[in-house]
Amino acid sequence: MNHWKLDNIFECLRQAGAVALKFRCAAEVALKPDHTVVTIADREIEAMLAAKFNRPEAGCYMIGEESIAECSEAYLQEAFRNLCYVVDPIDGTAPYSTDVPLWGISIGLMENGVLTEGAIYLPGPDEALVSCRGTIWSAKRLQGNSPEVAPFEAVRTPLGQAGHISVGQFAAKHWDIRLPNQIFTWSSCVGSGYYLLKGLLLAYVLRSRLWDLAGVMPLVKAAGFEARFPDGAPFDFRIASGGQFALDAAGPHRWRLNNYLTIAPDREAIDYIRNHVTLIQA
């Protein structure tokens, strides 16, 4: 655990947030080959994090959304065998580029292909959540001179029609969801995970890529929340061998979950949502 120290992670998140805030009102948007958007802030933050984390000579690697296409297969294989930071410099680039404060920074830590720790930071509410050895820590006012750091206790939204549900873009475009609950499509795993753990969402349904959820999932585990697939199988933190991600280099959906995942405070809430979701397009 020497590579995952709270002070260091909070400082990385603070610096990344400062870069994002600097470009927020002048974010020029470009379209990537996968039809998602990218800004100069995404690239600058990822370069900054790479300078800290990408040290193959020391057995430390980094997988990032904006630079992964430049990684050789040999590099990726070593990353899954060693220590590897998985980063999304701005998770929720679409809301970021339209100045909707649901975006954030995500950092996950893999050790020998197993996702072990995670951190997310939303500069809008100016709060970061970081897992460390089974405990979640919060840092409020991270951009100020005196951040307030304290243990964080997740809030569990009770099951009911009043509970809001966040779904990803894939769900919004490919699923028939028949629920009386309010449905949000925020295009941000960090934002959805944050508000789920704060008790403002009942559940989050997603089919995201590795870097989207790498910061959130260790927090979900530390909070004692449930994360399950349609067949009831739990999320497997063994990313390299769990079989839950498309990892084939030739596949069209590489790095994405093979099936949708529902995260909620308990199994009852997951079953409630699962019974009202139908896939309408592959």
Side-chain angles (χ1 to χ4, degrees):
M1 296 304 300
N2 292 334
H3 291 274
W4 189 264
K5 297 180 180 179
L6 282 176
D7 289 348
N8 293 345
I9 298 301
F10 281 137
E11 179 59 17
C12 286
L13 294 171
R14 186 198 67 77
Q15 292 178 13
V19 173
L21 290 169
K22 179 178 71 173
F23 288 107
R24 181 183 56 186
C25 295
E28 294 185 6
V29 177
L31 199 62
K32 296 188 290 187
D34 65 356
H35 304 294
T36 58
V37 295
V38 64
T39 70
I40 187 173
D42 291 90
R43 293 180 171 130
E44 290 218 1
I45 292 169
E46 186 151 323
M48 181 191 74
L49 294 176
K52 300 175 184 294
F53 298 146
N54 188 28
R55 293 175 284 111
E57 69 282 357
C60 187
Y61 296 77
M62 190 187 90
I63 291 175
E65 178 179 12
E66 309 308 333
S67 59
I68 193 166
E70 302 168 7
C71 297
S72 68
E73 289 302 313
Y75 178 95
L76 293 172
Q77 289 175 13
E78 288 302 308
F80 275 90
R81 294 191 190 108
N82 292 278
L83 195 76
C84 179
Y85 289 86
V86 183
V87 307
D88 193 343
I90 294 184
D91 180 68
T93 304
Y96 171 75
S97 65
T98 52
D99 204 19
V100 177
L102 293 168
W103 54 276
I105 293 103
S106 173
I107 302 174
L109 178 68
M110 284 196 309
E111 299 177 81
N112 300 314
V114 179
L115 190 59
T116 56
E117 301 287 4
I120 60 175
Y121 174 43
L122 277 77
D126 199 7
E127 183 175 12
L129 299 178
V130 178
S131 74
C132 189
R133 302 182 185 181
T135 298
I136 301 176
W137 292 85
S138 160
K140 296 180 179 178
R141 297 186 295 277
L142 201 57
Q143 292 300 319
N145 294 325
S146 301
E148 180 185 332
V149 179
F152 173 84
E153 189 72 29
V155 180
R156 296 168 178 264
T157 298
L159 178 61
Q161 295 183 10
H164 304 323
I165 299 167
S166 177
V167 303
Q169 283 291 313
F170 190 92
K173 296 173 180 177
H174 299 281
W175 299 338
D176 180 21
I177 303 174
R178 301 295 178 94
L179 285 165
N181 305 68
Q182 181 75 39
I183 303 294
F184 298 131
T185 304
W186 286 345
S187 300
S188 173
C189 192
V190 164
S192 299
Y194 173 80
Y195 287 109
L196 175 65
L197 294 171
K198 296 284 282 189
L200 299 177
L201 292 175
L202 170 63
Y204 177 35
V205 187
L206 64 151
R207 189 186 172 193
S208 300
R209 291 185 171 89
L210 174 59
W211 45 80
D212 298 317
L213 55 75
V216 167
M217 291 310 299
L219 295 167
V220 167
K221 181 179 181 180
F225 279 35
E226 291 275 343
R228 293 184 179 270
F229 293 97
D231 63 358
F235 179 82
D236 194 332
F237 287 80
R238 299 173 300 169
I239 306 301
S241 61
Q244 296 173 154
F245 286 87
L247 299 178
D248 183 359
H253 302 297
R254 193 180 194 189
W255 307 114
R256 187 182 292 279
L257 286 168
N258 289 318
N259 210 333
Y260 74 84
L261 181 71
T262 302
I263 308 171
D266 52 46
R267 184 68 179 270
E268 186 181 9
I270 288 179
D271 291 342
Y272 166 74
I273 293 167
R274 185 176 62 189
N275 291 334
H276 293 84
V277 172
T278 303
L279 183 67
I280 58 176
Q281 181 178 339

